[in-house]
Amino acid sequence: MAKTYVEVLSGASSFLEAAGKEGYAIEYLFLARKHWDKTQWLLHMREEISPEDETVIEKDLASLMENIPPQYLLGYEYFFEHRFKVTEDTLIPRPETEELVALCLSLNDTEPKKVVDIGTGTGAIAISLKLKRPNWQVTAVDISAEALKVAEKNAADLKAEICFKQSDVLSAIIEKQDIIISNPPYISQSEWDLMDESVRTYEPKTALFAENDGLAIYQKIAAESQALLQPNGMIFLEIGFQQGRKVQEIFSTVFPEKKVTVHQDMSGNDRMVVIS
């Protein structure tokens, strides 16, 4: 008896869940490949599935069982309503980082500013800021030449004029900045076992892990930004949910004249630090 789309996808989803993986990933992947929104899915879900589509689902299921993230299989992820190319040379942009961008925009008006994004990866932060604030002069830096190639492609596709530089934190930056923003590596080696297998296996380690219990890059940003932040400048940082107090201490010590505040994400976890 012929199977329907919903029967095949439900079976694949159950198979993933039985293996301890996220069952929704197979439906997410398939709808993205078909360019179907939820309405189109409702219209087609009880139709007989084509052999070609069933083969696509089988291949994607095998890849998901190997812990390959769906975004790497598709080659893109959406961030701030824009589509960004992703490869295994870049972290996959996440909703928490959208909150960092939104916070930065909410605390800054449209006046011209010089902005640097440290560890740009796909360019998601830098490009999103530039598209919302066209008169900002945005520079994006990354230690990875391969990540910068991806970011440059995203900037070109989205028509965002960004200056890209290969740099270890702020080493390539000369001019003083009004805003320094970063989602740096902040995971400690001790947290390795807590991470999802797909992240451990496929996402770039240099963009994930930092020494000193995950604090090394914050310490480096604090030290280097002393000479590069305008007197009235601001720093926006994404942090691990257990790092709020420690990151606050790092920047309060370096910038005793500034206010250092910890902000929560939509889940109520400490997720951002603002120095202003």
Side-chain angles (χ1 to χ4, degrees):
M1 184 177 173
K3 294 179 183 176
T4 63
Y5 282 101
V6 69
E7 287 172 332
V8 173
L9 283 170
S10 294
S13 178
S14 298
F15 186 79
L16 285 169
E17 289 172 356
K21 304 181 191 304
E22 294 176 327
Y24 77 89
I26 190 69
E27 182 180 309
Y28 165 82
L29 256 179
F30 185 70
L31 296 188
R33 293 200 188 282
K34 294 290 283 186
H35 306 290
W36 285 354
D37 59 22
K38 290 295 183 182
T39 301
Q40 290 168 309
W41 171 231
L42 289 170
L43 290 172
H44 294 289
M45 62 191 299
R46 305 206 180 277
E47 292 177 358
E48 182 179 331
I49 191 169
S50 69
E52 294 80 10
D53 284 344
E54 194 162 7
T55 298
V56 167
I57 291 170
E58 288 170 1
K59 286 181 179 178
D60 280 340
L61 181 61
S63 296
L64 291 171
M65 288 298 293
E66 292 294 320
N67 298 306
I68 302 174
Q71 295 89 343
Y72 286 158
L73 293 172
L74 291 172
Y76 65 83
E77 175 61 298
Y78 283 91
F79 184 92
F80 240 69
E81 300 178 355
H82 297 286
R83 180 165 148 168
F84 286 83
K85 176 183 178 181
V86 297
T87 73
E88 290 184 25
D89 295 308
T90 66
L91 278 188
I92 298 163
R94 287 170 167 81
E96 293 86 354
T97 310
E98 290 182 318
E99 294 185 56
L100 180 71
V101 171
L103 182 62
C104 178
L105 291 169
S106 73
L107 295 177
N108 287 278
D109 56 25
T110 58
E111 290 297 308
K113 286 180 167 61
K114 287 184 179 175
V115 181
V116 61
D117 170 30
I118 301 169
T120 198
T122 60
I125 291 174
I127 293 167
S128 298
L129 289 175
K130 181 66 176 179
L131 292 174
K132 289 290 187 181
R133 299 284 190 269
N135 59 349
W136 285 8
Q137 184 180 319
V138 180
T139 301
V141 301
D142 205 293
I143 198 168
S144 165
E146 295 306 312
L148 284 172
K149 289 177 187 174
V150 177
E152 287 172 349
K153 174 73 164 61
N154 282 325
D157 289 346
L158 293 167
K159 297 179 172 55
E161 191 176 327
I162 309 282
C163 175
F164 290 99
K165 294 184 178 182
Q166 189 169 7
S167 178
D168 182 3
V169 186
L170 292 167
S171 61
I173 301 300
I174 301 168
E175 295 181 329
K176 284 185 179 287
Q177 303 292 309
D178 298 296
I179 296 173
I180 294 170
I181 189 167
S182 182
N183 174 20
Y186 58 68
I187 299 169
S188 69
Q189 293 294 338
S190 65
E191 294 175 294
W192 174 262
D193 291 336
L194 303 176
M195 297 175 65
D196 188 84
E197 186 65 34
S198 65
V199 178
R200 291 191 303 199
T201 307
Y202 291 99
E203 297 201 51
K205 307 301 178 290
T206 55
L208 289 168
F209 293 100
E211 300 296 323
N212 300 351
D213 292 326
L215 299 171
I217 307 302
Y218 298 113
Q219 292 163 334
K220 194 169 174 62
I221 291 172
E224 294 182 7
S225 60
Q226 268 187 301
L228 289 167
L229 188 67
Q230 292 283 12
N232 293 324
M234 304 178 74
I235 301 174
F236 293 83
L237 303 165
E238 184 171 328
I239 61 168
F241 71 96
Q242 295 176 309
Q243 294 175 318
R245 185 179 57 79
K246 291 179 180 178
V247 174
Q248 193 173 32
E249 286 175 0
I250 290 168
F251 283 87
S252 293
T253 301
V254 174
F255 294 99
E257 76 287 0
K258 287 189 175 288
K259 184 178 179 182
V260 183
T261 53
V262 180
H263 297 254
Q264 287 72 44
D265 60 22
M266 285 188 290
S267 300
N269 295 316
D270 287 354
R271 186 62 63 192
M272 296 158 281
V273 168
V274 177
I275 299 94
S276 60

